[in-house]
C-alpha cells in the first residue's frame, strides 16, 4: 500500500479560473525519493500545499497512510498534530515559515510543541543547528538573515521535528556551492535513513545525485 495516494485531484484557486490540477493522480511508496519537475506555474507548490493539508481539492481523494486527509479531519487538533508530525514541509519561500525572535527559538519551536523532554529538545536543537552550521547565528533574528541563511534555518526547523516524510520545495535554490554540497550530502543521508522524500526542483544534478524517481507535472497532471 502506498504511503501517499492522490486520486483524480482537481484544484482551482477560484471558480472562474481554469483549475491548476486537473485530474491528477499519483502514488508514493514509503521510503521513495521523488523529484517533481514541471515548468514555472505548472502547479508543483499547489500540489505540495494539498499534500500538507494547507489546501483541499474541489474533487478527488488524498489518502495518507490509508486515511483520507480532509479539511474536517485536520480541524481536529489531535489528528492535525499527528499528521503534521509525520510530514515536514519546507516552503519555497522561507519567509512564510519564520516567525520566532531568534534562530534558536525558530529551530526549537517544533520540538517544544511536540512536548519533548527539555533535554531531548535541547539536543535536537543543537544537532539541527550543527547540521547547517548555524551556531553563530543562534541569537540573530531570522527576519534579518540573508535569503540562503533563512532557507537553512527553515530546513533545520523542519528536521528538528524528525518527520518521516519530507516535502521540499526547491530546497537548493539560491544556495552557495559549499552549502549546496552540504545539503546534497544531507539529503542523501535522509534518503538512506529511509525517509520519504518529495522534492520540487529544476535541478538535474540534485535528481541524479539522489537517484530520484522523476515525475513531471504538466497540463495539471502527472506524467512519468
Ligand atoms: N494563492 C494563489 N491564488 C491564485 N492563484 C495562484 C495562487 N498560487 C498559485 N497560483 C497560480 O497557480 C498556478 C500554479 O502555481 P504554483 O505556484 O503551484 O506553480 P509552481 O509549479 O510551483 O511554479 P514555480 O516553478 O514557479 O515555483 C500558477 O498559474 C499560479 O499563478
Ligand atoms: Mg513553486
Amino acid at each position: 500500500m502506498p504511503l501517499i495516494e492522490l486520486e483524480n485531484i482537481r484544484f482551482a484557486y477560484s471558480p472562474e479560473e481554469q483549475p491548476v490540477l486537473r485530474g491528477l493522480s499519483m502514488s508514493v511508496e514509503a521510503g521513495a525519493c521523488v523529484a517533481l519537475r514541471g515548468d514555472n506555474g505548472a502547479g508543483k507548490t499547489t500540489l505540495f500545499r494539498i499534500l500538507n493539508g494547507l489546501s483541499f481539492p474541489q474533487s478527488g481523494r488524498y489518502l495518507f497512510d490509508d486515511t483520507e486527509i480532509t479539511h474536517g479531519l485536520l480541524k481536529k487538533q489531535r489528528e492535525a498534530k499527528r499528521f503534521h508530525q509525520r510530514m515536514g514541509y519546507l516552503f519555497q519561500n522561507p519567509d512564510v515559515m519564520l516567525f520566532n525572535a531568534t534562530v534558536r527559538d525558530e529551530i526549537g519551536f517544533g520540538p517544544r510543541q511536540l512536548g519533548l523532554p527539555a533535554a531531548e529538545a535541547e539536543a535536537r536543537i543543537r544537532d539541527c543547528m550543527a547540521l547547517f552550521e548555524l551556531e553563530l547565528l543562534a541569537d540573530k533574528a531570522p527576519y534579518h538573515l540573508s535569503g540562503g541563511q533563512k532557507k537553512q534555518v527553515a530546513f533545520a526547523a523542519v528536521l528538528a521535528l524528525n518527520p518521516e516524510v519530507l516535502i521540499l520545495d526547491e530546497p537548493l535554490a539560491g544556495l552557495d556551492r559549499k552549502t549546496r554540497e552540504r545539503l546534497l550530502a544531507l539529503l542523501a543521508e535522509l534518503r538512506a535513513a529511509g525517509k520519504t522524500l518529495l522534492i520540487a526542483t529544476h535541478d538535474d544534478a540534485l535528481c541524479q545525485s539522489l537517484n530520484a524517481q522523476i515525475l513531471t507535472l504538466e497540463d495539471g497532471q502527472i506524467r512519468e
Side-chain angles (χ1 to χ4, degrees), residues 14-146:
S14 74
E16 304 84 56
E17 282 174 62
Q18 142 122 305
V20 178
L21 306 179
R22 306 191 282 278
L24 181 148
S25 298
M26 69 185 268
S27 56
V28 177
E29 302 289 332
C33 174
V34 174
L36 182 64
R37 315 296 299 258
D39 294 344
N40 293 135
K44 301 179 297 295
T45 297
T46 304
L47 173 58
F48 279 4
R49 289 182 54 82
I50 290 173
L51 289 175
N52 281 282
L54 301 174
S55 293
F56 299 91
Q58 277 87 29
S59 64
R61 293 205 317 157
Y62 167 25
L63 302 175
F64 179 72
D65 200 8
D66 220 19
T67 299
E68 186 169 1
I69 303 303
T70 60
H71 193 45
L73 181 85
L74 296 184
K75 272 200 292 204
K76 296 178 196 149
Q77 216 179 354
R78 242 188 51 197
E79 299 290 343
K81 193 171 168 189
R82 240 166 45 138
F83 174 70
H84 291 299
Q85 201 171 319
R86 297 183 66 183
M87 182 161 310
Y89 182 26
L90 178 65
F91 285 64
Q92 185 166 13
N93 172 8
D95 283 313
V96 186
M97 302 179 58
L98 304 170
F99 55 92
N100 284 279
T102 68
V103 167
R104 185 184 285 106
D105 288 348
E106 194 68 60
I107 296 169
F109 184 80
R112 290 207 182 85
Q113 285 288 101
L114 289 182
L116 294 177
E120 193 181 335
E122 283 309 315
R124 273 206 200 177
I125 298 167
R126 241 192 352 262
D127 290 350
C128 287
M129 288 214 287
L131 271 181
F132 296 86
E133 295 180 14
L134 294 169
E135 292 91 341
L136 291 176
L137 300 177
D139 297 312
K140 280 203 127 187
Y143 179 78
H144 288 305
L145 299 180
S146 77

Side-chain angles (χ1 to χ4, degrees), residues 33-35 191 199 206-214:
C33 174
V34 174
R191 177 162 173 36
I199 307 174
L206 168 64
C207 300
Q208 271 167 18
S209 95
L210 288 176
N211 189 22
Q213 174 195 353
I214 295 180

